[in-house]
Amino acid sequence: MDHGIVGADEFFSRLVVNYVKEYRIMAAGNFFRENIYEFHNERGLHFCSEQLKLFAYIADCIASHNMYMADDNEGRIAKYMDYSLNCLLPDEFEPISYKDNPLLFILCVADTIEPSKRFTNYHNENVLNLISIEYSLKDNFLYVEIGEELYDSEAGRRYVSDIYELEKWCDIRTNVASRRF
């Protein structure tokens, strides 16, 4: 199972269960004078059915952040068509942009540039000291500098490649360089 899809399902399910639980607590104490579409719990927290749309949007972004445009590798196009993922087919795919979907854009970029899962031979603090990341929203430009040792490793080459591949499915420009830290 993909961590994004499982995480999205857990996120949405738990928020809806919590919403209903809080309503039942309030409704029991108020003899159903409270409306399920909008109410306040005992601590004064506001609940509103409009929040469910926000929960669904966030869950959709979490689930979608690991879905990629189909290529013809291993018959993926046919599989995507079987599952009606037409928006991920090459002819219909639109790059993910910060302007149109900021949360999904941030999740995709962050998941790609997050180094701790890629450089398992290093402690997280050491890896973070060997990588510098800058992003300009104005120019929509991601600049990453990587320590020479990381850059020259097999994991480093894959990391650099994945950062450049962001340009294929996200509306972003990238540049990666090695440097001495």
Side-chain angles (χ1 to χ4, degrees):
M1 293 298 263
D2 178 79
H3 73 276
I5 295 171
V6 172
D9 184 55
E10 278 291 308
F11 171 82
F12 187 75
S13 297
R14 287 182 185 204
L15 286 173
V16 170
V17 165
N18 184 62
Y19 186 99
V20 171
K21 181 184 103 185
E22 291 293 330
Y23 172 72
R24 287 184 175 158
I25 291 168
M26 288 306 302
N30 291 311
F31 304 106
F32 288 96
R33 285 187 217 157
E34 291 284 344
N35 182 330
I36 193 165
Y37 301 110
E38 187 167 7
F39 63 94
H40 290 81
N41 70 2
E42 293 173 339
R43 294 173 306 209
L45 297 176
H46 182 242
F47 289 77
C48 174
S49 61
E50 292 296 311
Q51 293 168 332
L52 298 175
K53 293 177 187 175
L54 182 59
F55 301 161
Y57 165 69
I58 294 169
D60 180 65
C61 289
I62 293 168
S64 300
H65 87 278
N66 271 356
M67 293 182 182
Y68 304 98
M69 179 177 64
D71 55 26
D72 220 6
N73 188 16
E74 300 173 16
R76 286 188 185 146
I77 290 178
K79 286 181 187 176
Y80 278 41
M81 290 174 72
D82 287 345
Y83 288 100
S84 299
L85 297 172
N86 297 346
C87 64
L88 296 175
L89 297 175
D91 295 342
E92 297 184 41
F93 183 79
E94 292 186 31
I96 300 161
S97 74
Y98 182 84
K99 180 182 161 213
D100 294 336
N101 199 335
L103 180 58
L104 180 58
F105 179 87
I106 290 167
L107 289 173
C108 290
V109 172
D111 196 45
T112 300
I113 65 175
E114 192 281 314
S116 65
K117 65 185 173 199
R118 297 180 182 262
F119 301 104
T120 56
N121 294 343
Y122 293 84
H123 293 293
N124 289 342
E125 303 85 33
N126 295 341
V127 169
L128 294 176
N129 288 328
L130 296 172
I131 295 177
S132 173
I133 299 169
E134 293 180 34
Y135 175 72
S136 168
L137 180 59
K138 178 184 168 207
D139 300 323
N140 199 27
F141 185 75
L142 177 71
Y143 181 67
V144 180
E145 288 184 327
I146 303 172
E148 292 174 343
E149 181 181 334
L150 290 180
Y151 190 89
D152 292 334
S153 71
E154 181 63 35
R157 286 189 288 279
R158 180 68 187 149
Y159 183 66
V160 170
S161 174
D162 287 350
I163 291 172
Y164 280 123
E165 284 190 12
L166 276 170
E167 292 184 9
K168 292 181 181 177
W169 51 284
C170 287
D171 180 22
I172 192 171
R173 294 176 319 132
T174 60
N175 188 27
V176 183
S178 74
R179 83 164 217 215
R180 261 191 200 149
F181 279 87

